[in-house]
Amino acid sequence: MRDYDVVVAGAGPAGLMLGCELALGGTRVLIVERLTEVDETIKAGAINIPTSVALDRRGLLPALAEVQERALSGFREFMRQRGGGENVSPPPRFAGHFAGIMLRGDLVDDSDPAFADLGPAGDVGLVPQAALERLLAGHADGLGVEVRRGVELTGFDTDDDGVTVRLAPVDGTAPQEVRAGWLVGCDGGRSTVRKLAGFDFPGTAPEITGHQAMVTVTGAEGLGTGWHTTATGTYAHGPMPGRVLTVRFDGPPVDRDAPVTAEELQDSVRHVSGVDVTVTEVRTATRFTDNCRQASTYRAGRVLLAGDAAHVHSPFGGQGLNLGVGDAMNLGWKLAAVVRGWAPADLLDSYTAERHPIGAWVLDWTRAQIALMRPESHARALHAVVTDLAGTVDGTTHLVKQISGVWQRYDLPGGHPLVGHSAPDLELADGGRLADRLHGGRGLLLDLADDPKLRARADGHGDRVDVVTAGCAARPDLAGLLVRPDGYVAWAADGGTADGDGLADALTRWFGEPCADF
């Protein structure tokens, strides 16, 4: 007898997103989290386009926009404190940075096809991690996801029929056991699930000590705004009042788990910036390294990994949060399909096949930034060359495309150029957007040519795929799209009428055999 279909260890962005996706897929899911409340420690400060688009597809864009506006208010306050006065001009368009080289939003070529058809989600990015976790926690609650906080996974046993998970409340009350069909480790870079399951975790050792904190500091007027590379490291100041980040290249910290003190932060800022600041209060702080590793596979039998449990790297560019949300979007509907029985377990093999290459790219992307930030002559020379390139339209556009994630695609079968890409957010003739049709977490067959033969191909998949007939004046070239629950195109056809070639195979591949009752 199973208590749950799936147990998810960890209630960070990946774990919460996965729990929501599993609930949309009709599974009984339990999320367990050692922390008793959302971690307010300063971490990632932004989300990329695949993340904002994914959340838009679940109806969360208005809430994201509110979070971004609060973040922009913080930016305006920071600039006011830096001498901008009460009439601070609007903040520059957010474009990100590469190895501390700030990218100018006005140099991005918006006509690049990679930025087409993103919809309003393409304008939302300044969403801090803690705010995102609170938003996802509310979303999970609305979907009826059970989240047990103050509970730590201590062990598990797997067999052919499922997983027995051992849990220990942090308040010292009696340990518990729950029975589930599957276990997913979303429990961070030092994942207990990964270690106990024996996943291989190769990679490269750390060479830096980084700090990020929200502090009260005197002498900050001597610090530059934004990112700065010096002869002793790299530091960032802003864009929120009190936010500082430092990177030192004198080896990893002796003790990652020791509390971060005001003296430690003060020493790091002084060492890297050369400015005689005094840290008088630490509101929130974290220590990080560039430990860079990735699990060779994301599945071992009935145990899977997502988020930092599957891959760790330096935080530059905020890629980790976004990578974890992408993992959850990819895995959630597939695991739910297997649980419900309309997909074979080998559908889960596509999870590693699709997500592992993107994770590997992120690891190399962050390694390249570390190499460029080193305070030695060869790296400084290369830094100058890349800075020049980043000052051009082509250079900035390329870097922003990479940072924003618009390049991401999966290698899916099918000859149409849209297959494997995130679906364009088409504005439909009925007044809605394609993203609006994905709120329920089901597949979507979009008939853009009003073709009854095309719609008939989906007979037997009505419990898994919504069929919508609607025109799109902006894309008369498209006749039909089959979109997976994660928003990626599984089949597409051009022309005034879709002939449906390949559609039946795509439906069966991603949504199982048709059911006679539908």
Side-chain angles (χ1 to χ4, degrees):
M1 180 68 178
R2 294 176 182 172
D3 302 298
Y4 300 93
D5 295 315
V6 183
V7 170
V8 176
L16 288 168
M17 192 75 197
L18 179 61
C20 292
E21 291 300 292
L22 289 166
L24 285 174
T27 69
R28 297 169 299 147
V29 57
L30 168 67
I31 301 177
V32 295
E33 168 58 53
R34 178 180 55 83
L35 299 178
T36 57
E37 56 188 21
V38 171
D39 185 4
E40 297 293 337
T41 302
I42 183 171
K43 296 179 182 176
I47 59 175
N48 68 5
I49 286 176
T51 296
S52 62
V53 167
L55 296 171
D56 182 21
R57 288 167 175 162
R58 297 301 184 254
L60 300 175
L61 188 62
L64 283 179
E66 291 180 8
V67 172
Q68 175 167 269
E69 181 51 40
R70 291 195 294 271
L72 289 172
S73 295
F75 176 89
R76 288 187 283 267
E77 174 60 20
F78 174 73
M79 295 305 294
R80 186 191 67 77
Q81 293 180 8
R82 298 290 290 177
E86 296 299 326
N87 298 317
V88 178
S89 60
R93 174 180 169 186
F94 178 75
H97 73 90
F98 181 75
I101 301 167
M102 297 302 296
L103 304 175
R104 289 171 44 190
D106 61 321
L107 289 179
V108 178
D109 179 6
D110 291 319
S111 68
D112 191 291
F115 298 117
D117 299 321
L118 296 175
D123 297 324
V124 177
L126 291 177
V127 178
Q129 181 166 329
L132 178 62
E133 288 188 27
R134 290 192 294 273
L135 188 156
L136 289 175
H139 184 45
D141 185 62
L143 292 171
V145 176
E146 183 179 348
V147 180
R148 293 190 198 173
R149 290 191 173 272
V151 176
E152 187 171 12
L153 182 148
T154 57
F156 57 87
D157 297 305
T158 63
D159 53 55
D160 291 342
D161 298 320
V163 187
T164 300
V165 181
R166 292 184 290 279
L167 306 173
V170 297
D171 63 6
T173 55
Q176 309 160 359
E177 279 193 354
V178 296
R179 181 71 175 167
W182 301 82
L183 171 64
V184 186
C186 298
D187 50 342
R190 288 175 275 186
S191 167
T192 298
V193 172
R194 185 189 67 237
K195 293 173 182 175
L196 293 179
F199 283 88
D200 188 29
F201 202 49
T204 52
E207 61 181 66
I208 70 169
T209 293
H211 296 91
Q212 185 171 205
M214 296 292 292
V215 298
T216 302
V217 59
T218 60
E221 60 274 7
L223 297 174
T225 299
W227 287 78
H228 300 271
T229 296
T230 72
T232 52
T234 295
Y235 78 92
H237 182 215
M240 304 299 173
R243 185 258 186 171
V244 293
L245 180 148
T246 62
V247 181
R248 298 177 62 158
F249 286 82
D250 46 8
V254 175
D255 186 354
R256 278 286 304 275
D257 298 320
V260 180
T261 65
E263 291 76 17
E264 180 182 352
L265 289 169
Q266 178 177 289
D267 175 70
S268 187
V269 174
R270 289 180 176 184
H271 175 81
V272 174
S273 70
V275 178
D276 192 25
V277 302
T278 299
V279 175
T280 58
E281 180 189 10
V282 180
R283 298 196 293 277
T284 172
T286 185
R287 206 183 275 109
F288 64 86
T289 75
D290 59 328
N291 184 36
C292 207
R293 300 182 181 279
Q294 183 180 24
S296 300
T297 178
Y298 294 176
R299 178 192 173 199
R302 289 184 172 270
V303 181
L304 300 107
L305 303 176
D308 289 350
H311 33 68
V312 295
H313 48 82
S314 76
F316 300 119
Q319 296 288 337
L321 179 158
N322 297 294
L323 195 55
V325 171
D327 291 346
M329 286 293 291
N330 187 286
L331 175 60
W333 68 275
K334 295 174 181 177
L335 184 52
V338 172
V339 167
R340 290 176 58 192
W342 55 258
D346 60 10
L347 177 63
L348 296 175
D349 294 339
S350 68
Y351 169 54
T352 296
E354 292 174 4
R355 294 302 300 173
H356 197 277
I358 294 177
W361 177 88
V362 167
L363 265 65
D364 279 345
W365 181 256
T366 59
R367 286 187 181 111
Q369 292 182 75
I370 293 295
L372 204 61
M373 294 164 69
R374 290 190 182 110
E376 50 89 11
S377 58
H378 292 82
R380 296 277 58 76
L382 185 59
H383 189 280
V385 172
V386 176
T387 299
D388 286 344
L389 289 173
T392 67
V393 170
D394 286 347
T396 292
T397 301
H398 172 75
L399 290 171
V400 169
K401 284 165 61 176
Q402 303 301 103
I403 293 169
S404 68
V406 295
W407 62 273
Q408 295 180 13
R409 68 175 301 275
Y410 300 141
D411 185 16
L412 306 185
H416 194 280
L418 283 177
V419 170
H421 287 270
S422 180
D425 189 28
L426 304 178
E427 293 187 4
L428 305 176
D430 61 6
R433 297 183 292 118
L434 186 147
D436 300 330
R437 306 294 186 173
L438 295 171
H439 288 185
R442 290 157 54 88
L444 171 67
L445 177 59
L446 183 59
D447 171 20
L448 295 164
D450 194 8
D451 183 354
K453 292 182 179 179
L454 176 67
R455 298 192 294 273
R457 300 286 183 112
D459 289 349
H461 289 93
D463 60 335
R464 304 157 229 166
V465 178
D466 294 326
V467 180
V468 173
T469 300
C472 178
R475 293 297 300 267
D477 54 308
L478 285 177
L481 292 174
L482 177 63
V483 183
R484 303 189 322 186
D486 58 359
Y488 281 76
V489 177
W491 170 90
D494 291 332
T497 302
D499 59 17
D501 284 351
L503 177 56
D505 289 341
L507 283 163
T508 301
R509 180 183 182 89
W510 300 113
F511 300 101
E513 296 292 336
C515 177
D517 294 335
F518 288 90

